[in-house]
Every structure is written in structure tokens, then in C-alpha cells.
Amino acid sequence: MDAADGVVVPEQGVEEEGLDPRAALGTVPIDVAEPTPPLGTETGEEGWRELVESVYGPLTEFYEGLDARLREVPEDVPPVGWAPHIGAVRALRDGQVAGDWDVLARFLVAPGTLEGAEAPRLVQVDEGDDARVVRDAVRELTEADGRALLIAPTPERAAELLRGVEGDPDVFSLLIETRPETAEARSVRTQALPPVEEPPAEQEPPLRDPGSNGTVEFKPLTGALPEPEAAVTRAEPLPSLPPVEPVEPEEGPSAPETRVRSAALRPVGEAWRLSWQTEARLLQRGLMSLEQWPRDAAALQSVRAENLRRAEQLEAEKAGLAEAIEEARAAAAGAQEAAADADAEAERLSGVQEEAEAELEGPRAEAERLQRAADEAGAEAAAQTRTADAAYARCVQIDERAKTAQAELQGARQAEASLTDELARAREALPGAAEEAHRLTAADADAAAEGHAAYYRLVSAESALSALRRKMTLGQRLHVASPPSELRGLREEAKARTREADEAATRAREAKEAAEHAERVRRGLASFVSEGGARLKAAQEAQERLGTELTWLAAEREKVGAEHQEQARQASEAVERATEAGLRARAAHQVAQAIEERATAARTSREAALAAAAQARSDAEAAAARAAETGAELARRTEEAAAEIAELEAELETVAAAEGRSRENVLEICGADPADDPEAVPAHQRRAMARIEELTGYLEGGRAAGGEVLLRTADLVVGTPAGAGLTVRDEEFDALIVADAGTVTDGEFLIGAVRARRWILVGTAGTRPPGYREYEGSPSGRLELSPFERASTAAPGLVD
């Protein structure tokens, strides 16, 4: 079972054959020259270390001996043993404690020397009232942002005390769960518990740097002491180990160190979730502030650029309006000058027009007279040309008719020759065709008669078969009884008659078709013989008629050709006369047209000059009006530009103030000015996003929270001394709270005391640590009396 299932297995202790366990742990027995001084004995500051060594050296050897005997029996999953006790005692002896070593040492060996606020706090309560005192102490610590380690003698007692504070939303509590919890083991002198079949769990690597609560890595052991490996799993209860049958103790109960094999941390209550949610919200709020500064900086830069661009644009607009005013004024002056020039040109062109109109009268009259003569000559030439064209058309018509008649004559001759030959062949073939038609008609009659006879035979055979079937019984019809003997013969006869009738009908149809075809051939030959003579006579008559017509057409063509030649000569002469008259008229028109074009050009130019003068005056007025409007526009735009520049400056101040606030937020979050250190914001964003993803994984259950993460953020860690030794070895706490302190031995107290800066012991008077059989023969009575009992007896002033 792995770490994700909540089981943590410590490493195997030192078990190499042939080695003294104490030598392997880096310790040697210490000879104490004198016994421990009585409680409350005064001694100098230089003597505290010697006194601590004299008291706790033998206790260290005793624990080492117990641990060595416990590991004499090899096991796959060894119990925790006394390695945490050995490490805590050695830390005290070496001076490696989180709090004031002098105060802690004096409290343990000479509590009567302690006075004032620096002393540990002892709270003596009545039985059943310790839970309230512990709860008040925890609340007091957490309100001061302190972290506490609460140890109780048993897992049940630890869980009971934790129930008193688990409902507090401001306290992030962790419970140290150990396995097994209550199973009794044999004495370490005999054997240990049976091994637990579970592989060691892999520790999850640290997820982030230590927090800001002042904790540091604490490693009290500097030698080769093999301390059990204790990992912390996700926030889930530990799974149950295989059941172990309780063993009746021979000499008293066995110490929990002989049966506890693993420990894990489990968050309790909702404070841890609220704490992570709050941290995630703060990180997200910081990310929003970090994201806001680039937008504000970009907005500031954009506003500055826009203000500069807009100012330049406004200046360009004013410069353009001023330039437009000058251009309009120059255009007005130029238009006035152009109007004066156009008026002078119009006066000059008016004189040119009058001269041209006076000169035009004579050439125009001569051109008109010549045009009338040309028109008369043209009309006469057109009449002569039409007469000549009519004669030519008559010649063409006669030629066409002559060609047609010649073609018809040739066709009539060919038809006569063809009819003569075909008529002779038809007369020869007509008797044979008549005989063949008569023969096929007779064959058709015979085939029809044979078909009728076959049909009657078929009807007779079917009638006989039908009559026989009507005489058959119902059984014979249903094929139950045998049919009549003659039924088969009648059926075969009916089939044969059917075939004969079909064949006869086919022969009759073929004979009929052949007879009809022969008759058609005969009638065609007879018709051609009867009509051929008439057609031959018509062809001969057509030849005579066409020969006469061709003779007439030849005489007519000669007469019409002579007339056409005479008329064509006369038309040619008339056309020549009309052409000469037209040329004279065209020349006269050209002279008149040239003079008229001069007059028209002068008139057009004068009108254009007048229009140009009017347009120039209009342009001058428009340019003057445009200059005035542009001047007014320039004044208005100047005022508007001043107001707009003021608004842009105000907007720039607002955006600059927002950017300054965003920059201050970034400086507060990142500790660096983003303008000076551009990588500060991306680096912090990456760290924040990684932390948010980590917290989201914890809250949604998609990621297991490792022990280091839980310990760094926990306000209260609750468990037994053995569980604390397995899980919080490298942590420091602001205070250690010991519940039922009268039942806690020095070694169990030191497991938490060396990791805390303050110590609060809550106990009931008269309670003693349990007498485990392994502790028989312990030195100096350190396992029979608790530090709480000794301090309350030697220094009653320390007890609240």
C-alpha cells in the first residue's frame, strides 16, 4: 500500500550482525561520577550542561538498549521503537532545541531555579477540566498567529482533545494517526509484533518554500542515528492494518513504541480548506492587480500617443485652414483679372463676327444658284440611269428564261428516252405478273380452306375431350380415382389438332401476303403501261413548245440589248453633266462655308468670353465668400482645439493617476518597480499561478497534499509522542501543549519540547506515567515521574 492510501512505514533500524546498537547510533555509555542532584538544587550556569549530561546520558543508554532489543527480531515492518526518544534526548544534550535551552534544561533538572515569565507554564486542573484549558490555550496561540503542537498520551485522548477545537474555522488542525492504535505486543525481551505486509511509502517532494510563520528545518541528530522514516499522506484516514490478536502481557502492559509502526497526518475540520481558499482568492486578486498594470501602462502610453497625434492633427487642421484662406483670396483676385480680360476679348470678337456676316451674303447666293443647277442635272441623270437599268434588267430576264427553257428542253428529251425504254419492259413483264398473281391467289384459297378444316378438326377433338371430362366422377376429377382409359388418347389428339391448326393458320397467312404482293405488282405494271403513252406524248409536245420559245427569246434578246446600249450612253452623258454641276456647287458652298465658319467661330468665342467673364466674377465672389467662411471656421476650430486639448490633458492626468496606483500595487505585491524590473511581474505571476493550481488541486481533490505542505500551513498538530516523533521531526512550533502531562515521561515530553519555543503542561495532580514492562530498571526514576509532577512539587509557584 502506497502513501496515497495513508500508510507510512518507518525504515528498518540498525540490525547489522556483530555491531553494538549503541555504537551504531553514535553514542557511548556515560559514567556519572555523582548522582543527580535533588530537585531544586542551585548550580552555576556553567554546570547546567554537565548536570543535564549526568541525568540524561544514562537515560539515552537505556532507550538505546530498549531499541536494540526491540530490533533483534527482524521484521518487514518494524515498530517505531525509541528512536524519536533517543533523538530528542540527544538534541537536549547537544543544545539543539528551538526554544531557550537554558530554561528547558533547568525545568527538567532543577525546576526550582525558574522564576518569572520565562518559565514553562504549568496548569493543574481537576479531572475532566483539561479539555477546556487546552482549548483556551490553543485559541490564545492562534489569535497571536502562533503554531502549536499538542501531544497526548494516547491516540484516543488526542482525538478527544481535537474534537474540542475542530469546529473553530480559524484553526487549521492536523491529527497524527498511528497504526496500530491499541493492539498489545509482547515484551521487547521476547519478540516484536508480526511484520505488516505493506511496502514503504514514497515521500512527496516539497511543493513550495517554507511559509512566513518563522519555521526552519530542525535536524537534532548529527550522528548516524537511524530514525524511522515517516511520510505524510493525503488528507484521508489511514487504512486498517491486518488484524493482530492481542497477547496477554506477562509482566504488565507493553509500551506503545513496541507496536506503533506508522503514522500519518490528517486535516481535521474545515479551517484548512478555508485557509487555502482565502490564500487562493488573495493570489487571484493579486494576479488581477498585476494584470491591471500592463493595461494601465498601455492605456497611458496610448493616451499620450493619442494626445500627441491629436495635437499635431489639430495644428495641421489650423494650418490647412489658414492656407485655404490665402488660396481663396488669391483665387478671388485672379478671377477678377480674368473677368476683365474676358470682357475685352468679347468686344473684339463682336467686330470680327459682324465683318464675316457682311462678307458671307454674295458667296452664299452664288452657291445656292449653282446648287439648284446641279440638282436639276442630277435629276435628269437619275432618270436616264433608271431607263438604262430597266433595259438591262429586261436583258437579264430574257437570259434567265432562255437558260430555263433550254434546261426544260433537255429534261423533256431525257424523259422521252426513259419512258420509251421503261414502257417496253413493262409491256413485256405484265403477262408474267398477271399469271403469278393468279397462281398465288389460288394458293391462298387452298391454304384458307386447309386452315378451316384444321380448325374444325381441333374443335371436334376438344368437344370429345370436354364430353369425356363431364362424364368423369368427382374422385376422377380430384385425381383420387383412376381416370378413363380413353382420356389420355383424347388429350394427345387435342394437342396434335392444336398444332395442326396453328401450322395451317400460319401457312394461310403467308399465302395471303404473297398473293396480295403479287397483285400489287401486277396493278403497278398495268397502270404504268396504260399511262406511259400519255406521258410520252406530253414529253414530245413539250419539246416542240420549248424549241419555239427559245427561237423567240433569241430575237427578243438582240432587240433589247441594242436599246440598253443606247440608253446607257445617254445616262452616262447625263451623269457627267450632273457631276460637273455638283463640283461647281460644292466649291461655291465651301467658300461660303469658310466665311460662315469664321462668323460662327467669332460668335462662339464671344459667347465663351462672356460666359468666362461671368464665371470669373462668380468665382471671385465665391472665393471671397469661401475666404470669409474659412476664417470663421479657423476661429471656431481654434476654440474647439483649445477645449479638446484641455480634455485630453485631463484624461491623461486620470490615466496617469490610475497607472500610478497600479504601479504602487505591483510594487507592493512584487517588491520591485515593474518599469525598472520588467521580469518582476511575469515571475510573480508564474509563481502565483503555480500556487493557485496547487491549491486548486488540494481543494478539488485532484492532488494529494504532502506532509510538508500540511505542516507548514497547520496552526495545530495533535497526536501522541510517538506519532509526533514520526511526522514532525523537522518542524518548529511556537508552543508545545502537553495534555495529561502527569502521564508523560521525560523522553515523550522532549520529543515535542525540543521543537517548540514555549511549553504549556496541563495535568491533574497525583497522576503518574503508566508502568510499561519495558521500563523496568530505568535510571534516575525518569520514567516513573513526569516533568509536570517534579516541577509542580519542586516549584509550586510555577503552577497556575
Side-chain angles (χ1 to χ4, degrees):
M1 193 175 298
D2 57 15
D5 295 325
V7 175
V8 179
V9 182
E11 290 184 350
Q12 184 68 33
V14 178
E15 298 175 354
E16 296 184 7
E17 186 176 356
L19 293 177
D20 187 286
R22 289 173 292 180
L25 294 174
T27 62
V28 295
I30 300 175
D31 296 330
V32 181
E34 297 180 1
T36 303
L39 296 175
T41 300
E42 295 285 346
T43 182
E45 184 175 352
E46 298 296 332
W48 290 120
R49 290 192 180 274
E50 182 178 352
L51 184 56
V52 168
E53 187 68 27
S54 66
V55 172
Y56 288 101
L59 182 60
T60 304
E61 293 183 13
F62 181 73
Y63 280 146
E64 290 172 350
L66 291 178
D67 197 70
R69 289 195 300 274
L70 178 65
R71 304 188 188 283
E72 288 177 356
V73 180
E75 297 186 45
D76 292 338
V77 184
V80 62
W82 283 270
H85 302 67
I86 298 169
V89 174
R90 290 186 59 193
L92 175 67
R93 292 166 57 190
D94 295 339
Q96 298 180 355
V97 297
D100 191 332
W101 179 90
D102 182 70
V103 174
L104 181 59
R106 291 165 62 191
F107 171 72
L108 291 172
V109 298
T113 62
L114 292 175
E115 295 179 0
E118 65 179 7
R121 180 183 174 190
L122 304 181
V123 182
Q124 186 169 321
V125 296
D126 295 332
E127 185 175 356
D129 200 26
D130 53 350
R132 179 186 57 79
V133 176
V134 169
R135 184 169 59 253
D136 293 342
V138 170
R139 184 176 297 109
E140 180 182 353
L141 281 168
T142 54
E143 288 177 355
D145 293 332
R147 301 175 66 239
L149 172 63
L150 172 59
I151 62 173
T154 63
E156 294 79 10
R157 183 61 174 154
E160 180 183 354
L161 293 171
L162 184 58
R163 281 194 292 272
V165 298
E166 66 179 352
D168 192 341
D170 297 328
V171 180
F172 181 177
S173 303
L174 291 178
L175 176 62
I176 304 173
E177 294 182 336
T178 56
R179 290 290 184 272
E181 295 180 354
T182 58
E184 181 66 36
R186 296 185 179 90
S187 172
V188 296
R189 296 190 182 92
T190 57
Q191 68 178 59
L193 284 173
V196 179
E197 298 295 334
E198 292 175 354
E202 296 180 1
Q203 275 197 327
E204 188 174 319
L207 298 178
R208 63 184 176 97
D209 297 334
S212 59
N213 52 17
T215 58
V216 296
E217 183 178 7
F218 175 68
K219 298 182 179 179
L221 299 182
T222 58
L225 178 64
E227 193 165 349
E229 193 71 29
V232 184
T233 63
R234 64 175 65 202
E236 298 175 359
L238 286 169
S240 302
L241 293 172
V244 179
E245 293 295 332
V247 179
E248 293 297 331
E250 297 176 358
E251 307 164 1
S254 177
E257 287 78 8
T258 64
R259 60 180 181 270
V260 174
R261 284 167 164 75
S262 63
L265 294 171
R266 179 170 64 86
V268 178
E270 289 296 321
W272 63 276
R273 184 182 299 277
L274 296 176
S275 173
W276 286 343
Q277 288 175 346
T278 301
E279 183 181 356
R281 285 196 297 271
L282 291 176
L283 289 172
Q284 290 171 351
R285 190 176 303 168
L287 284 177
M288 292 176 62
S289 298
L290 295 181
E291 292 173 357
Q292 183 62 33
W293 177 78
R295 291 195 292 268
D296 290 343
L300 177 59
Q301 184 178 2
S302 176
V303 169
R304 285 175 176 169
E306 178 63 19
N307 289 1
L308 180 60
R309 184 193 65 80
R310 187 56 181 157
E312 294 175 353
Q313 184 178 5
L314 292 174
E315 289 298 327
E317 288 181 5
K318 290 192 293 183
L321 290 174
E323 183 179 356
I325 292 173
E326 295 299 327
E327 290 178 356
R329 290 173 179 172
Q336 290 291 349
E337 294 177 0
D341 295 340
D343 288 337
E345 181 67 13
E347 289 296 332
R348 185 186 67 80
L349 292 174
S350 178
V352 173
Q353 178 183 354
E354 291 176 357
E355 293 177 359
E357 289 177 352
E359 184 182 356
L360 180 62
E361 293 179 359
R364 178 180 292 175
E366 181 64 16
E368 291 176 355
R369 185 184 67 75
L370 292 176
Q371 184 62 44
R372 287 195 296 273
D375 291 341
E376 292 174 359
E380 183 181 358
Q384 294 291 339
T385 301
R386 286 195 295 273
T387 302
D389 291 340
Y392 178 74
R394 178 61 179 163
C395 292
V396 171
Q397 184 180 5
I398 292 172
D399 291 340
E400 292 294 330
R401 179 54 192 161
K403 291 179 181 179
T404 303
Q406 187 66 34
E408 289 177 358
L409 178 60
Q410 185 66 26
R413 290 173 181 173
Q414 292 177 354
E416 180 184 6
S418 175
L419 286 172
T420 302
D421 185 47
E422 289 178 359
L423 187 60
R425 289 198 302 271
R427 287 171 180 170
E428 293 178 357
L430 181 60
E435 184 180 355
E436 180 66 16
H438 179 72
R439 185 184 65 78
L440 289 175
T441 300
D444 178 29
D446 295 341
E450 183 180 357
H452 286 299
Y455 173 74
Y456 291 140
R457 288 194 294 272
L458 172 61
V459 171
S460 176
E462 289 179 348
S463 299
L465 179 60
S466 177
L468 180 62
R469 286 176 175 171
R470 286 196 298 272
K471 295 179 181 180
M472 290 171 60
T473 63
L474 181 60
Q476 289 175 336
R477 293 177 182 176
L478 297 177
H479 304 286
V480 176
S482 300
S485 58
E486 62 272 20
L487 179 62
R488 182 174 182 181
L490 290 175
R491 285 177 176 173
E492 292 178 354
E493 183 179 0
K495 291 180 180 179
R497 298 306 181 191
T498 300
R499 286 194 299 271
E500 290 177 0
D502 292 341
E503 293 174 356
T506 300
R507 287 193 298 272
R509 185 171 58 255
E510 292 175 353
K512 182 175 180 60
E513 291 175 354
E516 291 175 352
H517 177 70
E519 181 62 21
R520 285 194 298 274
V521 172
R522 185 194 66 77
R523 283 198 300 271
L525 291 173
S527 176
F528 181 75
V529 170
S530 62
E531 296 176 358
R535 291 169 62 188
L536 180 60
K537 183 178 180 181
Q540 292 172 351
E541 291 176 353
Q543 290 180 32
E544 292 177 358
R545 177 177 56 79
L546 291 172
T548 303
E549 184 178 359
L550 285 173
T551 303
W552 179 81
L553 287 173
E556 186 68 16
R557 174 69 177 80
E558 184 177 357
K559 184 180 70 171
V560 172
E563 293 177 358
H564 171 259
Q565 289 179 357
E566 179 61 22
Q567 292 173 356
R569 183 185 62 77
Q570 294 176 359
S572 177
E573 292 176 354
V575 167
E576 288 179 358
R577 290 193 297 271
T579 302
E580 291 177 358
L583 291 175
R584 289 193 295 271
R586 187 176 298 111
H589 276 297
Q590 289 177 352
V591 172
Q593 186 176 2
I595 298 172
E596 185 178 3
E597 287 177 355
R598 289 202 307 274
T600 302
R603 183 172 55 256
T604 303
S605 298
R606 177 176 174 276
E607 292 174 355
L610 293 174
Q615 183 64 39
R617 284 190 290 271
S618 175
D619 292 343
E621 294 174 358
R626 188 165 62 252
E629 292 176 358
T630 307
E633 176 69 13
L634 177 59
R636 184 181 63 82
R637 289 299 296 158
T638 301
E639 295 178 0
E640 292 178 353
E644 186 175 354
I645 290 296
E647 293 178 358
L648 293 175
E649 291 296 333
E651 181 182 0
L652 179 61
E653 292 178 1
T654 303
V655 175
E659 191 274 340
R661 290 192 296 271
S662 298
R663 184 192 296 259
E664 291 177 0
N665 291 337
V666 173
L667 180 61
E668 181 180 354
I669 294 171
C670 301
D673 191 337
D676 298 335
D677 185 5
E679 290 298 323
V681 172
H684 189 84
Q685 286 176 329
R686 289 192 294 271
R687 290 194 299 270
M689 289 301 298
R691 180 57 179 163
I692 290 173
E693 292 178 1
E694 178 183 339
L695 293 174
T696 303
Y698 297 158
L699 292 170
E700 295 179 355
R703 183 174 186 180
E708 294 187 9
V709 175
L710 295 175
L711 285 173
R712 289 173 189 153
T713 54
D715 299 315
L716 177 64
V717 180
V718 184
T720 61
L726 286 173
T727 56
V728 297
R729 295 190 313 277
D730 298 335
E731 288 296 315
E732 286 189 0
F733 298 88
D734 295 291
L736 167 69
I737 303 174
V738 183
D740 297 339
T743 64
V744 176
T745 64
D746 286 51
E748 294 170 339
F749 171 72
L750 283 171
I751 289 175
V754 297
R755 295 168 169 81
R757 287 178 283 276
R758 294 170 51 200
W759 310 276
I760 302 173
L761 291 81
V762 181
T764 305
T767 56
R768 298 288 180 88
Y772 298 123
R773 57 175 176 262
E774 289 81 7
Y775 291 167
E776 181 180 356
S778 61
S780 305
R782 291 288 164 172
L783 299 179
E784 288 81 11
L785 283 178
S786 65
F788 176 81
E789 185 70 17
R790 293 197 307 273
S792 61
T793 302
L798 297 177
V799 180
D800 290 346

